[in-house]
Amino acid sequence: MERLWGLLHGTQRLSPRPSQTIYKRVEGTQQWRLEEEEEDGEEGAEPPIHFCPMELRGPDLGSRAGKQNLGLWAATARRAAPYLVLTTLLIFTGAFLLGYVAFRGSCQACGDDVLVVSEDINYEPGPDSHQGTLYWSDLQAMFLRFLGEGHLEDTIRQTSLRKRVAGSASMAALAQDIRVALLGQKLDHVWMDTHYVGLQFPDPAHPNTLHWVEAAGKLGEPLQLEDHDVYCPYSATGNATGELVYAHYGRPEDLQDLRARGVEPAGRLLLVRLGEISFAQKVASAQDFGARGVLIYPDSADFSQDPHKLGLSSHRAVYGHVHLGTGDPYTPGFPSFNQTQFPPVQSSGLPNIPAQPISADIASLLLRKLQGPVAPQEWQGHLPVSPYRLGPGPGLHLGVNNHRVSTPISNIFGCIEGRSEPDHYVVIGAQRDAWGPGAAKSAVGTAILLELVRTFSSMVSNGFRPRRSLLFISWDGGDFGSVGSTEWLEGYLSVLHLKAVVYVSLDNAVLGDDKFQAKTSPLLISLIENILKQVDSPNHSGQTLYEQVMFNNHSWDAEVIQPLPMDSSAYSFTAFAGVPAVEFSFMEDGQAYPFLHTKDDTYENLHRVLRGRLPAVAQAVAQLAGQLLIRLSHDHLLPLDFGRYGDVVLKHIGSLNEFSGDLKARGLTLQWVYSARGDYIRAAEKLRKEIYSSEESDERLMRMYNVRIMRVEFYFLSQYVSPADSPFRHIFLGHGDHTLDALLDHVRLLRSHGSGDPRAASSGVAPGLGFQESRFRRQLALLTWTLQGAANALSGDVWNIDNNF
């Protein structure tokens, strides 16, 4: 090929020049050397050129024979030139077409907004590698081979047998054991991070109590709480007395329905069922409607009715914290490294009313005492009470004596540094602590995390070096509201700013094996779908996970993909830090895993619920998580679908359009939001086309695109609200007046005639205030300019912004 290019250049260089560069092979070496040789020639004459297959040297111009040979060579060159040019053009065209086809193979689909590395894109190993070029299929096979050598089931069993309450001595011992295990692997960095946080525990000397109240107002017979260790962390302490009312799941719409049926929740104690929303949301809703306290119980109607399946004992209560937020509620928005130097402050998400879990047996006793209207059919449960009534019933007295303790918690980290982009981190984490045995809650996730560390360490020893850094983290304080992960984010947000690429959570990963659900940022939906097609189903031979999922769920977006809830450890990464995140779970079809957050969440019960398939399902989760990590850390271009948010906005705008006439009658319009969405869609399409037509081998260009893609989630954090006042600034997932949901809930008040909307409390508006034009204008401005800023950021440099706003 070099000779062909030399011949081509020689035939094209036919203009006169005073001197010419001649290439000569130097004896004893494979290098070419440039030599400048002066040559004389007549003006207008063709320069003499001499070609030799073995060596290139200047012709002997001083001899007659040389001149004759020169004429012969020149004539030959003139005759060969057209053929050489044609041959070269054909070779060039073929190479271009091959490159084009290879590049097109890196796109999932022509219409997608995300480009991915094809299976033919190679991975260059590091200088210490003992292996040749690794392709995507090689990495996949290597990962599966090393993962298969692990002992997931044994690790789950051993972890679930250890006491792991946050802040305990046994938990500190487990943290050291995990740190030692990470130090034994081929990781570049291993370290621990300790925070001193405020956790709430029951007081053994003064246990929580529940009493009947006699007609004269005196305390009557106590209702014995079966287990005084079961409590609601961050409940308000003190006493609450009032008549009892049944309020279904305690959602805002349930309390509004209760009020509409003539039963007032204000001034009373509410009995609510477990499920649908978190403990914290139930208590917050009760407080917004004026209730004095909350009792939360598990109803057998919310669990499997199959007599052949395990069920929760009727004397078991369920643990759950009631802080409407994440992290240490006594240092909201700030890290808990040293609380002594800061003024006392607490999260606005802490409730002002007491809450206590109770068992189904105690709930049955309470329901039998209720009078008043019969509850709607959909509110009826399966306790031995028929029918359920709304109340009110006899008076109750609830006493909560939990106390706050300053507690050290430790997160453990292990890192494999990236080869090309070491300052970009792909993060995967699992909660380590548990209130009870916590087999499903945290033992499974911890075991999978350790197996992934071991597997990727073995891959590194065999030539794998990711482009981006892999960060493995074992979190502490998860059962108190993702305290460990949130405090780490708060402490190092400046360091993580636009460096953390994605967070993958392993919490609650195995709660069954029939159904799959992904709680995720829209940016990761396409990648998750792609990976599911490459992982075998653990219980349907010959099927992939994707085929299993689609067989049971005909609507992918509606049934499989869910938004991140606040009680997920992944929530803070997206809603607080602007990092796309995912938490996926395998569950039983239709019914919840009955033992979560109870003392019955043991390895044996989890194994029996899955009918012996726990090892296979855990292995499938590890495969799914591991291949996500490989793609996110290895692909030249980050496989994040940045165009998806255009669909998210469109979905919400469809709900807002219903009220356009009502707004127009008031001289208001939603046009600003429509324009901002249009600019975002155009920016996403423009970036997609730029990427599609660019060279993947251009490292500088790929890094520039990756940075723009990484910023998408971050720029959906509203820069117009204070992170101290509104820590969850994400306009789609966050909480506060700046969110799209808050705007929608406010607009709904246009048709409520001032009576208040059941969702108004969650949006920051007290029920009964009705629609407020000034608030609407502010909400619209906050939402519009955040969305417009995301569109501008996606456009790239300031001179590339081309919107029609």
Side-chain angles (χ1 to χ4, degrees):
M1 189 67 184
E2 290 181 357
R3 292 179 191 166
L4 185 59
W5 278 109
L7 188 59
L8 177 63
H9 289 317
T11 57
Q12 291 176 335
R13 222 177 272 134
L14 300 179
S15 58
R17 63 185 69 180
S19 64
Q20 183 169 331
T21 301
I22 305 297
Y23 289 79
K24 298 182 67 175
R25 185 187 296 275
V26 180
E27 296 296 332
T29 178
Q30 299 299 318
Q31 303 289 329
W32 291 96
R33 188 177 69 191
L34 294 176
E35 290 190 356
E36 297 290 334
E37 297 192 3
E38 297 297 325
E39 55 188 26
D40 298 326
E42 297 180 3
E43 186 175 352
E46 296 179 354
I49 303 174
H50 178 68
F51 298 99
C52 177
M54 295 303 296
E55 92 182 306
L56 295 177
R57 63 175 59 178
D60 186 0
L61 300 179
S63 66
R64 184 173 179 180
K67 293 180 181 180
Q68 292 175 350
N69 288 337
L70 175 62
L72 179 61
W73 276 105
T76 303
R78 282 193 297 271
R79 288 192 300 272
Y83 300 101
L84 291 173
V85 171
L86 181 60
T87 302
T88 304
L89 287 174
L90 288 173
I91 294 174
F92 177 79
T93 302
F96 175 80
L97 290 174
L98 286 173
Y100 178 75
V101 170
F103 182 79
R104 284 183 61 91
S106 68
C107 180
Q108 287 181 347
C110 291
D112 287 352
D113 290 326
V114 55
L115 299 179
V116 299
V117 171
S118 71
E119 294 187 355
D120 294 329
I121 297 299
N122 63 312
Y123 168 80
E124 295 295 338
D128 58 343
S129 170
H130 302 289
Q131 188 166 334
T133 300
L134 297 176
Y135 294 88
W136 166 247
S137 56
D138 299 325
L139 292 176
Q140 226 175 1
M142 182 192 296
F143 169 75
L144 295 176
R145 174 162 55 90
F146 288 124
L147 182 67
E149 298 172 359
H151 305 282
L152 263 175
E153 187 177 12
D154 290 341
T155 309
I156 295 171
R157 181 190 294 108
Q158 293 302 321
T159 304
S160 65
L161 291 175
R162 302 182 67 162
K163 292 185 177 180
R164 306 193 305 286
V165 177
S168 65
S170 55
M171 183 61 167
L174 177 60
Q176 288 297 334
D177 290 346
I178 290 180
R179 179 176 177 272
V180 170
L182 297 188
L183 287 171
Q185 302 298 329
K186 192 175 179 61
L187 303 176
D188 295 302
H189 310 282
V190 175
W191 73 100
M192 292 180 67
D193 190 42
T194 300
H195 298 262
Y196 293 85
V197 298
L199 303 182
Q200 200 184 67
F201 296 96
D203 186 348
H206 302 91
N208 298 341
T209 59
L210 186 64
H211 288 80
W212 294 111
V213 176
E214 297 176 353
K218 295 182 179 180
L219 293 186
E221 181 183 353
L223 287 91
Q224 295 297 329
L225 301 176
E226 293 96 338
D227 193 340
H228 291 289
D229 292 337
V230 187
Y231 70 112
C232 289
Y234 303 122
S235 162
T237 57
N239 303 313
T241 302
E243 295 175 316
L244 186 68
V245 169
Y246 173 55
H248 202 206
Y249 292 111
R251 297 169 296 189
E253 53 265 37
D254 294 332
L255 298 178
Q256 186 72 13
D257 193 5
L258 190 66
R259 179 176 285 169
R261 293 175 184 272
V263 180
E264 177 57 51
R268 288 166 167 158
L269 267 63
L270 302 186
L271 177 65
V272 301
R273 283 160 58 168
L274 183 75
E276 294 297 325
I277 58 176
S278 69
F279 277 47
Q281 289 170 309
K282 295 176 191 293
V283 177
S285 297
Q287 179 176 303
D288 289 334
F289 278 80
R292 292 183 178 178
V294 182
L295 300 172
I296 304 172
Y297 79 97
D299 198 300
S300 54
D302 298 311
F303 301 102
S304 176
Q305 304 305 305
D306 188 340
H308 301 292
K309 291 187 176 182
L310 293 178
L312 185 66
S313 169
S314 62
H315 66 270
R316 283 291 191 205
V318 181
Y319 166 99
H321 79 87
V322 292
H323 172 216
L324 191 62
T326 62
D328 181 359
Y330 304 109
T331 59
F334 300 95
S336 299
F337 288 120
N338 186 345
Q339 301 178 33
T340 62
Q341 302 301 315
F342 299 100
V345 65
Q346 66 180 32
S347 167
S348 60
L350 285 175
N352 297 321
I353 60 176
Q356 174 67 28
I358 61 173
S359 68
D361 284 344
I362 294 179
S364 297
L365 292 175
L366 297 176
L367 284 167
R368 290 192 190 104
K369 298 289 186 178
L370 292 183
Q371 300 174 353
V374 174
Q377 182 58 42
E378 60 271 21
W379 288 31
Q380 299 293 323
H382 288 171
L383 298 187
V385 179
S386 182
Y388 286 22
R389 292 185 177 272
L390 299 178
L396 281 178
H397 177 86
L398 172 64
V400 173
N401 302 306
N402 306 334
H403 64 292
R404 171 185 166 188
V405 179
S406 182
T407 308
I409 61 171
S410 298
N411 301 321
I412 309 163
F413 303 81
C415 177
I416 297 174
E417 277 196 31
R419 169 178 57 94
S420 303
E421 303 175 40
D423 56 332
H424 291 165
Y425 319 137
V426 178
V427 187
I428 184 166
Q431 174 184 330
R432 184 175 72 255
D433 66 299
W435 170 81
K441 178 61 182 175
S442 61
V444 169
T446 297
I448 293 174
L449 180 73
L450 292 175
E451 284 302 308
L452 289 175
V453 170
R454 183 196 58 77
T455 299
F456 277 95
S457 174
S458 299
M459 292 175 66
V460 167
S461 299
N462 282 265
F464 173 63
R465 174 63 70 176
R467 297 179 59 83
R468 301 170 194 92
S469 296
L470 283 168
L471 191 56
F472 304 91
I473 311 178
S474 175
W475 302 116
D476 201 350
D479 263 359
F480 290 83
S482 305
V483 175
S485 57
T486 303
E487 293 307 310
W488 182 69
L489 288 172
E490 290 175 346
Y492 299 101
L493 191 59
S494 298
V495 178
L496 297 171
H497 175 65
L498 301 182
K499 291 187 176 182
V501 178
V502 166
Y503 176 67
V504 179
S505 169
L506 296 174
D507 297 341
N508 304 310
V510 180
L511 304 175
D513 68 341
D514 294 326
K515 186 178 178 182
F516 175 83
Q517 190 175 80
K519 302 166 185 175
T520 181
S521 160
L523 295 173
L524 289 162
I525 294 176
S526 296
L527 178 60
I528 293 169
E529 182 177 352
N530 184 274
I531 295 296
L532 285 174
K533 295 176 180 177
Q534 303 180 50
V535 178
D536 292 335
S537 168
N539 57 355
H540 292 80
S541 179
Q543 278 190 345
T544 64
L545 274 179
Y546 180 79
E547 290 169 337
Q548 175 188 336
V549 166
M550 294 310 295
F551 180 80
N552 294 324
N553 304 282
H554 301 292
S555 176
W556 168 262
D557 284 343
E559 300 177 41
V560 178
I561 303 300
Q562 301 290 324
L564 285 165
M566 186 181 285
D567 56 359
S568 165
S569 65
Y571 178 81
S572 290
F573 274 86
T574 301
F576 173 72
V579 177
V582 59
E583 177 180 294
F584 41 79
S585 300
F586 287 87
M587 301 171 294
E588 290 296 289
D589 190 16
Q591 300 293 336
Y593 174 70
F595 307 121
L596 201 63
H597 294 298
T598 73
K599 290 186 176 180
D600 291 332
D601 184 15
T602 62
Y603 167 81
E604 290 76 18
N605 277 340
L606 180 61
H607 199 279
R608 289 166 66 190
V609 165
L610 270 74
R611 300 173 294 281
R613 290 199 292 270
L614 174 58
V617 180
Q619 186 83 357
V621 172
Q623 289 184 25
L624 174 59
Q627 294 195 55
L628 273 173
L629 294 185
I630 294 175
R631 290 292 309 278
L632 289 165
S633 66
H634 169 267
D635 284 9
H636 283 68
L637 191 75
L638 283 172
L640 301 180
D641 194 350
F642 49 83
R644 281 271 184 172
Y645 267 115
D647 299 333
V648 173
V649 181
L650 182 61
K651 179 181 177 181
H652 283 80
I653 286 179
S655 301
L656 287 170
N657 279 339
E658 180 185 347
F659 302 92
S660 59
D662 301 84
L663 291 170
K664 187 176 181 180
R666 290 172 174 257
L668 302 171
T669 178
L670 294 168
Q671 186 57 45
W672 284 9
V673 178
Y674 303 155
S675 297
R677 176 195 176 266
D679 288 338
Y680 183 86
I681 294 297
R682 284 188 289 273
E685 178 64 16
K686 181 180 177 183
L687 178 57
R688 186 190 69 80
K689 289 180 178 178
E690 285 181 25
I691 294 173
Y692 190 73
S693 60
S694 63
E695 289 292 337
E696 192 176 71
S697 59
D698 189 332
E699 292 286 343
R700 177 182 171 276
L701 193 60
M702 288 300 107
R703 181 179 177 88
M704 182 185 73
Y705 288 144
N706 283 336
V707 169
R708 283 166 67 181
I709 294 171
M710 282 175 60
R711 290 178 177 175
V712 169
E713 197 80 70
F714 177 83
Y715 282 113
F716 283 121
L717 303 184
S718 179
Q719 59 182 316
Y720 305 104
V721 296
S722 165
D725 298 332
S726 301
F728 304 120
R729 295 178 293 149
H730 202 286
I731 60 173
F732 300 115
L733 290 175
H735 286 264
D737 231 25
H738 59 283
T739 65
L740 208 160
D741 280 339
L743 176 64
L744 182 57
D745 288 343
H746 187 202
V747 170
R748 287 193 181 104
L749 297 179
L750 285 168
R751 299 183 180 178
S752 66
H753 305 293
S755 61
D757 186 273
R759 287 157 295 201
S762 64
S763 304
V765 172
L769 289 182
F771 182 82
Q772 304 164 53
E773 182 176 325
S774 60
R775 175 173 175 258
F776 170 79
R777 290 181 181 276
R778 183 177 184 275
Q779 283 183 302
L780 191 61
L782 288 172
L783 179 67
T784 299
W785 287 112
T786 303
L787 182 56
Q788 187 66 46
N792 292 343
L794 195 62
S795 296
D797 295 309
V798 67
W799 52 82
N800 289 327
I801 297 173
D802 180 22
N803 60 55
N804 299 313
F805 190 74

